[in-house]
Amino acid sequence: MEIAFDLSTIFTENVQRLNRADLLKYGPKRYWAVAQSIDSLGEMSSKFHGWKRVITMYEKIVDHEEDQIVYILWEKVNGSKSLLKGILRVGYKTLYLTDNDQNQFMEKVMCILDFFVVPDEQRSGNGFKIFDTMLKNENVTPDQCAFDKPSAALQQFLEKYYGLKDPVTQTNKYAVFPNFFIGRHPTVPFTPRQTKRASRASSAVSSHNTSRNTSPIGRNRPRHDSVADLMRQDMFSGVRAEVDPNSPTGLKNSRDFGHRRIW
């Protein structure tokens, strides 16, 4: 993408780093080309990624509460024109992150917020050039960065040039790679919890065992036989002793029951 301005009158590097102080110094009233370069590349990036709104704009970066840094890849062409090739916007943010073991972390992380290379300039090493320049200037490694809504193309890029695989996607749409968590201590370690059903079942069993083992009714009171037990004992107690019918007991039985045994 060409712009009718010689950026070499402002920029000193082909991958130019611009922080908030630089952007304020190169304000649009005097250096309109800087704001236009950022806004044009930001709009192209949003369309390329299919986003509903433009997220990289000069005014948004300057007014943002957190410091952000923009890298612009450019090249001088004939006369007073410049060729814009790509843009990379980064910044530190405090994020809540979770690893694959469900441990929770709160970390201030270098975030990759927007990364775009003009389609005509892709597959020529320009993406690696601008990204690697950022890593060296910011003194970070790619596995220690967080990526905001990384596209499939970005994931392929990171795997190809840096060997990063299997990103851990977060609920906040950021993604980090497993090596990010090495050497970091979780803010909230993961603790397995029982399901409600298992918890209720465990409580019921515990209550039953406690009542059966500790109740004074079950352990200490004397046993009282029921009527059924007494009848059962009477049925199986065996043959009764023979009583002489002429004895006092035999005569009493004869009087009470109205007959005498004849066998």
Side-chain angles (χ1 to χ4, degrees), residues 245 247-260:
S247 66
T249 300
L251 293 174
K252 182 178 182 299
N253 288 342
S254 178
R255 182 182 68 250
D256 293 341
F257 295 103
H259 66 275
R260 294 186 180 182

Side-chain angles (χ1 to χ4, degrees), residues 193-205:
R193 295 181 178 180
Q194 288 182 319
T195 62
K196 291 184 178 180
R197 179 178 297 179
S199 179
R200 288 196 298 266
S202 177
S203 298
V205 171

Side-chain angles (χ1 to χ4, degrees), residues 197-246:
R197 179 178 297 179
S199 179
R200 288 196 298 266
S202 177
S203 298
V205 171
S206 176
S207 176
H208 175 71
N209 289 338
T210 300
S211 62
R212 186 178 66 179
N213 294 332
T214 62
S215 172
I217 297 176
R219 295 187 60 186
N220 299 326
R221 75 172 186 177
R223 179 185 177 98
H224 295 284
D225 293 332
S226 65
V227 174
D229 291 337
L230 294 174
M231 293 178 64
R232 190 179 300 108
Q233 292 174 8
D234 185 65
M235 291 174 61
F236 295 97
S237 59
V239 180
R240 294 184 177 181
E242 190 71 26
V243 179
D244 185 355
N246 295 316

Side-chain angles (χ1 to χ4, degrees), residues 97-105 165-170 176-181 190:
L97 304 169
T98 304
D99 64 11
N100 284 325
D101 296 323
Q102 300 304 307
N103 297 301
Q104 299 178 25
F105 300 77
K165 300 179 181 179
D166 304 322
V168 185
T169 304
Q170 307 294 313
V176 294
F177 289 87
N179 285 351
F180 175 88
F181 298 102
F190 173 68

Side-chain angles (χ1 to χ4, degrees), residues 75-128:
E75 182 181 305
K76 182 178 179 179
V77 292
N78 296 331
S80 60
K81 295 181 179 181
S82 300
L83 182 65
L84 301 175
K85 295 185 175 183
I87 190 169
L88 174 60
R89 180 168 61 93
V90 301
Y92 278 96
K93 289 179 174 291
T94 299
L95 300 178
Y96 293 93
L97 304 169
T98 304
D99 64 11
N100 284 325
D101 296 323
Q102 300 304 307
N103 297 301
Q104 299 178 25
F105 300 77
M106 185 178 70
E107 300 285 344
K108 191 172 184 179
V109 190
M110 171 59 74
C111 298
I112 310 304
L113 305 172
D114 194 359
F115 182 29
F116 170 71
V117 175
V118 175
D120 292 342
E121 302 296 333
Q122 294 179 8
R123 302 185 184 280
S124 301
N126 289 316
F128 176 77

